[in-house]
Amino acid sequence: MNITPIAIFHSPLTSKFGVPKQSGIVTELKGQIVFEPQYRNVDYIRGIEGYDYLWLIWEFSANKHKANSPVVRPPVLGGNDKKGVFATRSPFRPNPLGLSSVRIERIDSDKQVIQVSGADLMDGTPIYDIKPYLPFTDAHPEARGGFSADYGLKHLEVVIDSKYASKFSPEEFNTLQEVLAQDPHPRYIDEPDRIYGMPFAGYDIRFRVTGNTIIVTEIV
């Protein structure tokens, strides 16, 4: 089967470093689904306005090497414990496809662009299919969460000087804080003096992590 992208995703996150680890974690993170020319026909999305969420099937396009192991090392487990690739959401898979649920914010039918929020896709990600989220069958709040349930979501306290707020719109500044709070650095690295860099909305966000606090040192 040969598949080609139906759309490209656009986001203020231009590197996979800093992208939320799952969809829905950073609810304010906005993005755009921009359809490829051959799919810019309103008939393709007729009826989509009746849904609140969509499933996106996309490619881990930033992966530089092909997956060749049946096991991976989930960062949440410290980077040492191995799990079967099909028991994880690792990007290093036999077929590098991702699945994300995003919220529809606005549909620009004339431009064939869907504005969404809560995505975990970096800028430029190819999208191969879009399906509606069906709450009566897709939601299973009673379901077990495997080993991931023992760790849950970790949120850091974010320390960022208010002088940097002028570089962004209020919405972007709040989103940046949410992205940082979900702990973008590898959890198994404990080096309080190490400076990390993450692109966001055209800027390089530099920060360090000390305990449960992330401190922005510079924005350039």
Side-chain angles (χ1 to χ4, degrees):
M1 178 176 67
N2 294 320
I3 58 175
T4 56
I6 63 166
I8 301 296
F9 193 80
H10 291 286
S11 164
L13 297 168
T14 56
S15 166
K16 64 181 181 179
F17 187 84
V19 171
K21 296 176 176 62
Q22 302 294 335
S23 59
I25 293 179
V26 182
T27 57
E28 297 303 312
L29 182 57
K30 300 296 192 296
Q32 295 181 325
I33 299 169
V34 180
F35 286 91
E36 293 287 80
Q38 62 268 43
Y39 298 103
R40 292 177 190 170
N41 181 329
V42 70
D43 286 342
Y44 279 109
I45 58 172
R46 184 186 298 179
I48 207 170
E49 69 280 356
Y51 298 96
D52 286 328
Y53 290 85
L54 299 172
W55 288 112
L56 306 181
I57 299 173
W58 49 278
E59 180 187 356
F60 289 103
S61 54
N63 289 0
K64 300 302 182 184
H65 58 83
K66 184 176 177 61
N68 56 11
S69 173
V71 295
V72 294
R73 303 173 189 266
V76 72
L77 298 180
N80 294 314
D81 194 1
K82 296 180 180 179
K83 297 292 182 182
V85 65
F86 299 135
T88 75
R89 293 190 174 186
S90 168
F92 300 103
R93 321 184 66 77
N95 295 306
L97 297 176
L99 178 67
S100 298
S101 174
V102 298
R103 182 178 180 86
I104 299 174
E105 295 292 335
R106 190 174 74 253
I107 301 168
D108 298 332
S109 297
D110 57 332
K111 299 179 181 178
Q112 285 294 278
V113 173
I114 303 177
Q115 311 283 348
V116 299
S117 61
D120 55 343
L121 287 69
M122 64 178 282
D123 187 63
T125 295
I127 297 174
Y128 291 106
D129 202 3
I130 297 172
K131 300 178 187 293
Y133 176 96
L134 305 179
F136 64 88
T137 186
D138 292 348
H140 303 283
E142 77 288 352
R144 295 183 300 154
F147 68 86
S148 63
D150 296 330
Y151 295 89
L153 298 177
K154 179 183 178 181
H155 287 84
L156 302 182
E157 177 186 358
V158 178
V159 177
I160 178 171
D161 197 305
S162 59
K163 69 181 181 182
Y164 293 122
S166 62
K167 294 180 179 292
F168 308 96
S169 70
E171 182 181 61
E172 287 177 332
F173 192 65
N174 290 336
T175 300
L176 172 60
Q177 293 182 85
E178 279 198 53
V179 169
L180 293 171
Q182 58 95 29
D183 192 7
H185 94 296
R187 294 188 184 183
Y188 53 87
I189 296 180
D190 183 17
E191 299 177 9
D193 295 325
R194 180 170 179 172
I195 302 297
Y196 299 90
M198 180 190 81
F200 178 84
Y203 290 94
D204 182 19
I205 315 300
R206 299 173 184 175
F207 61 90
R208 58 186 176 88
V209 181
T210 303
N212 292 319
T213 303
I214 186 166
I215 302 169
V216 174
T217 59
E218 191 177 17
I219 297 180
V220 295

